[in-house]
Amino acid sequence: MLKTIIKRILIGVATMFVLITVTFFLVRLMPGSPFEAENVSTQMIASLEKEYGLDQPLFNQYVLYLEKVLHGDLGISYKKNISVVALIARGMPATMQIGLLAFLMAAVVGIGLGIWQASTKSGFIRGLLVSYATLGVSLPGFVTALLLIVVFGAWLQALPVVGLTSPKHYILPVIAQAFGPIATISRLVKSTYSEAMQMDYVTMARAKGLSKWQISLKHILKNAILPVITYFGPAIAFLLTGSFVVESLFSIPGIGKEFVSAISNRDYTLVLGLSIFIGGVIIIANLLVDILCAIVDPRIKFND
Amino acid sequence: MTRFAKTLSVFLALALVALGLAACGGSQAPISTGSSNPGGAATPAAGTEKGIIIRMEPETGTLDPAGNSSTTYWNYSAYALAPLVELASDGSYDFIIAESCDINEDNTVFTFHFREGAAWSDGSPCTPADYINTMQRALDPACGSGYSDFLFKIKNGKAIYEGSADISTLGVEAPDDKTLVITLEEPCQYFLDLLFLPVFYPSHAELATETNGDWCFDPARSVANGPFYLAEYVPEQYILLKKNPYYVQKDRISLDYIKLLAIADTQSAISAYKTGEVDLTGADYTVLAEYEGKGDLVVLPGMTTYYTLLNWDREPLSNPLVREALSLAIDRDAIAASAGKGSYEPTSFFVAKYMTSKLTGQGKKWGEEVDPLVTLNIERAQQLLAEAGFPNGEGFPELSFKYPAMEVEAAIAQSLQAQWKQNLGIMVSLESQEYQVNISDRRAGDFDICRMRWTADYADPTTFLSMYTGSASYNDSGVASAKYEELLALSERESDPAKRFQILHDAEKALVAEDFAFIPTLAGIGVTLRNPKIGNIVINPSRNSPFYKYATLAD
């Protein structure tokens, strides 16, 4: 198993290299310059580009960049004039706090709703849960976030909508971020859980007179959870790398917002730095989830 | 499960959580090590202190006036830094750090006399060296300032920037601690109007030596010579500014603190205004109906003109008859209506129509002094098009109209497309682009028709009118208007303000209504929501934007 893990890590490193290379050349293919803005003259742009070495042959810039990355230096953001590493370190706490809380909420509520939907006998509740699941999957994130802001912020004036300065400030952004994943998880759990409910060992467990909770959690869920864990990989990566919509609507100083503005600003170093960081998080999260799956279900072997 | 697998699973579960928790603990503490500034840093609130919370656009750039200053700088400097002179609401000069200025006869030597007691927030005196510090640093191309070229007006400024002269030859000197003498390359009538640009703002000569350095965000080292000083800076979240006891004109200041809160999205900012989380925010036309007639709403015409470039290097737009026809065939009211009435106004002027003009000496606005330059005349337009060889639009090639994917630009483009089709029978295809792509196509001259927008950099018509001379770097559409260039050159030699403004009006007319260089369509209007308890909002005529440093707060 150790051998396989090492192999997976090496594949991860290779993936990172490809990611860096492709991103490096792709951002340069975009028309425009990081220094272009409405009131800046052409001469000024040319002199700034020279200053930052952007007039050098592209391949030289690439080699130089790789060298820097190997030394842990992701360069300086052109627009913000601070090092990309510092910028990521500054934006990460907010993004990760929201992401982790949203992930926990999505996992707990999503699994709960999934089980409820699979086991309830009331058609009304099932209908309600199915409509939520459909809504959650199909409603774009910005609609959910804006609705929450308008209803709980502007109308009811119950919750604040700017920043993360108190625990209360976390409620709306976390719900906004978890809304979609909850629906996806509940749908997944519902289908695997109802399948598992039909299994002989469940009937057996009932016959043995085990309590409802014991059957549900120990026997059914344990067997139904595998596809959900597989989904956790991309989900946690998605949640931890931040959401542009949630971060910009709730004015949260995270990296998701940074990423999108870096692209439209042509802030090359920042786009690359964030790609490397987010790519790293995704690779690690997926690796951990794969290993976790193998542990939960011993039938999954790591022998390729 | 083997023992190894069990240990591993515990480890992995922990790792997954750690991946998230890693950075959660040390949430951002405000940077407030300050001892250099008075009072150090404390959160406002607490009872007696009066202050307001103003929404700002999220951070870009530095707070260093000599560096790549951008939106954050403008928000910050309006309160923390004081210029030598600034424009008052009525267009007169309000002397701030300087108490007077002597100007020689031909407008080339400006001598500023500093106020007694001008000081920084750490108590050290504010001297000419602080203003020279910014100028010198901003003439290093590495500074990243977009405003360095305004220093080219100063003697040797351009040569220094280009590396062909030494920094010591710059036409600025301080014969003593209270006098700053600036010598220009050529006469400039509106030089005092330029002094609110970042490169003419002060930076402490001893503390601010590293351009774009970290010092500017550090309350201990980032001192202020304006009404408020930097007390707390939390990146991407807020900037807290507190009243500066050393400010030379502190009697004019009423508030104890101003907090600038970063909110990116306009709709979120409007919601935050409703929840009471901000007292002042820029808004848009969506709030006009809701707040109509209420004290919350402040509507101010902006200094922005939206116009449509016609590429002179492409057939058939190289033909002046065609350009005139395209210009006369459009109804600007209809464009304003489709772009959102209340946020935009029709204009046929290139110069911002609400810029204060000096033609009559009565503080009238640019657009009020003369008749509209171009008015709708479909019949004449059709006739012109026929003269150009395209009767009823027959044989007219399909042109493409490039614009960035923004609501107002799309509205202008669609409205023009429809009107040209209906009134002239010509087809224009619309090409919506990403913002940066549009800029780079425009800069390369790669377009038939392209949107353009310009906001005044300073309160003189030349901020617009200098853009389309043959050599100007913004002349992306190949404009070559001899009469306009002649008049513009003439205006530089004219020292009588009224005569000069008449010449500038004529130059604009030659450009827009005789050579039909491009088509001005809309003027922007700024909508602001403010807590009705806030009074004494001052309008800064340089940008026609509200200034809150003199604001008062009712109980």
Side-chain angles (χ1 to χ4, degrees), chain A residues 1-2 5 30-34 36-45 47-48 51-52 78-82 87 89-93 96-97 100 146 149-150 153-154 157 159-165 169 236 240 248-253 257-258 263-266 281 284-285 288-289 291-292 295-296, chain B residues 1 4-5 8-9 12-13 15-17 19-21 23-24 26-28 58-62 68 140-149 152 161 212 214 217 233 235-238 261-265 267-268 271-272 274-275 277 434-437 439-440 442-443 451 453-457 471 473-474:
Chain A
M1 190 167 190
L2 199 64
I5 293 173
M30 298 192 290
S33 148
E36 252 168 25
E38 208 96 323
N39 288 23
V40 177
S41 68
T42 321
Q43 289 98 314
M44 204 66 92
I45 292 171
S47 89
L48 285 172
E51 200 55 50
Y52 283 91
Y78 297 132
K79 281 274 157 161
K80 310 214 165 189
N81 245 300
I82 73 168
L87 238 156
R90 186 172 95 182
M92 212 169 49
M96 294 243 168
Q97 284 170 29
L100 195 72
L146 271 177
I149 289 178
V150 169
Q157 309 231 338
L159 291 165
V161 297
V162 182
L164 289 178
T165 39
H169 283 80
I236 198 167
L240 288 185
S248 49
L249 290 180
F250 291 98
S251 311
I252 293 165
K257 187 170 72 177
E258 213 73 86
I263 294 171
S264 44
N265 287 333
R266 304 290 188 266
V281 171
I284 294 171
L288 295 183
V289 162
I291 301 172
L292 205 60
I295 295 167
V296 170
Chain B
M1 222 185 260
F4 170 69
L8 191 64
S9 73
L12 283 173
L16 261 178
V17 173
L19 192 62
L21 276 177
C24 290
S27 156
Q28 296 163 352
E59 176 178 306
T60 48
T62 160
N68 71 338
D140 175 358
C143 71
S145 169
Y147 298 95
S148 297
D149 46 354
F152 297 175
Y161 187 84
N212 293 321
D214 292 338
F217 299 113
Y233 170 78
E236 305 276 335
Q237 297 187 53
Y238 66 87
L261 191 62
I263 303 178
D265 184 78
Q267 290 307 321
S268 301
S271 301
K274 292 178 180 166
T275 61
E277 288 173 84
E434 195 221 2
Y435 186 70
Q436 290 281 348
V437 176
I439 294 188
S440 98
R442 192 190 77 224
R443 285 257 150 93
R451 80 51 106 150
R453 179 181 73 172
W454 193 256
T455 301
D457 271 326
S471 59
S473 90
Y474 293 103

Side-chain angles (χ1 to χ4, degrees), chain A residues 13 82 98 149 222 228:
Chain A
V13 172
I82 73 168
I98 296 287
I149 289 178
K222 198 178 156 197
V228 182

Side-chain angles (χ1 to χ4, degrees), chain A residues 150-187:
Chain A
V150 169
V151 174
F152 294 98
W155 289 354
L156 300 176
Q157 309 231 338
L159 291 165
V161 297
V162 182
L164 289 178
T165 39
S166 77
K168 249 178 145 182
H169 283 80
Y170 284 79
I171 299 174
L172 292 182
V174 169
I175 295 178
Q177 183 118 308
F179 197 78
I182 289 176
T184 312
I185 292 176
S186 75
R187 279 159 60 113

Side-chain angles (χ1 to χ4, degrees), chain B residues 149-437:
Chain B
D149 46 354
F150 287 100
L151 293 170
F152 297 175
K153 300 227 177 273
I154 301 177
K155 205 167 170 72
N156 287 330
K158 192 169 187 195
I160 294 166
Y161 187 84
E162 285 165 356
S164 58
D166 187 75
I167 190 78
S168 62
T169 61
L170 185 66
V172 288
E173 48 180 335
D176 58 62
D177 266 4
K178 293 278 162 219
T179 316
L180 173 65
V181 184
I182 301 181
T183 310
L184 304 188
E185 202 65 68
E186 299 173 335
C188 179
Q189 278 217 27
Y190 51 89
F191 185 67
L192 293 183
D193 296 3
L194 300 180
L195 296 183
F196 85 101
L197 293 170
V199 290
F200 294 106
Y201 263 58
S203 50
H204 198 289
E206 279 146 37
L207 295 171
T209 49
E210 186 198 346
T211 306
N212 293 321
D214 292 338
W215 60 267
C216 66
F217 299 113
D218 176 2
R221 290 179 289 163
S222 189
V223 289
N225 77 331
F228 298 87
Y229 68 90
L230 183 68
E232 252 183 67
Y233 170 78
V234 185
E236 305 276 335
Q237 297 187 53
Y238 66 87
I239 295 176
L240 178 65
L241 300 153
K242 303 184 103 185
K243 191 172 181 175
N244 174 8
Y246 294 101
Y247 180 47
V248 69
Q249 296 199 3
K250 62 170 180 290
D251 299 345
R252 296 170 76 177
I253 308 302
S254 151
L255 296 175
D256 295 310
Y257 69 89
I258 286 178
K259 185 174 178 180
L260 303 172
L261 191 62
I263 303 178
D265 184 78
T266 304
Q267 290 307 321
S268 301
I270 294 170
S271 301
Y273 179 78
K274 292 178 180 166
T275 61
E277 288 173 84
V278 294
D279 294 310
L280 278 152
T281 177
D284 58 22
Y285 67 93
T286 55
V287 302
L288 289 174
E290 186 179 348
Y291 286 102
E292 201 186 344
K294 290 188 188 162
D296 305 66
L297 203 59
V298 181
V299 177
L300 280 174
M303 294 294 238
T304 303
T305 302
Y306 292 80
Y307 56 107
T308 304
L309 294 177
L310 306 171
N311 196 338
W312 287 38
D313 295 327
R314 299 237 174 136
E315 294 290 339
L317 296 170
S318 52
N319 186 344
L321 296 173
V322 171
R323 294 199 303 268
E324 184 173 357
L326 291 176
S327 222
L328 294 183
I330 56 164
D331 174 7
R332 290 172 170 76
D333 291 318
I335 302 172
S338 71
K341 256 218 152 62
S343 278
Y344 303 96
E345 247 184 55
T347 185
S348 65
F349 295 99
F350 173 38
V351 175
K353 66 196 266 194
Y354 288 99
M355 183 176 278
T356 306
S357 178
K358 293 172 185 161
L359 178 63
T360 57
Q362 295 164 349
K364 277 199 174 175
K365 302 298 177 196
W366 180 263
E368 295 170 349
E369 290 179 337
V370 290
D371 292 330
L373 294 177
V374 188
T375 44
L376 175 70
N377 188 340
I378 298 172
E379 217 169 293
R380 173 89 186 118
Q382 287 170 340
Q383 204 180 329
L384 285 162
L385 200 64
E387 273 175 47
F390 308 104
N392 301 321
E394 281 160 32
F396 198 87
E398 180 170 325
L399 300 176
S400 93
F401 190 148
K402 291 183 173 174
Y403 61 94
M406 297 157 90
E407 220 176 316
V408 51
E409 303 294 353
I412 295 173
Q414 288 160 5
S415 180
L416 287 175
Q417 179 197 41
Q419 296 194 39
W420 282 330
K421 188 179 176 199
Q422 192 188 350
N423 299 342
L424 298 176
I426 62 175
M427 293 296 286
V428 169
S429 62
L430 300 185
E431 204 175 319
S432 169
Q433 301 173 302
E434 195 221 2
Y435 186 70
Q436 290 281 348
V437 176

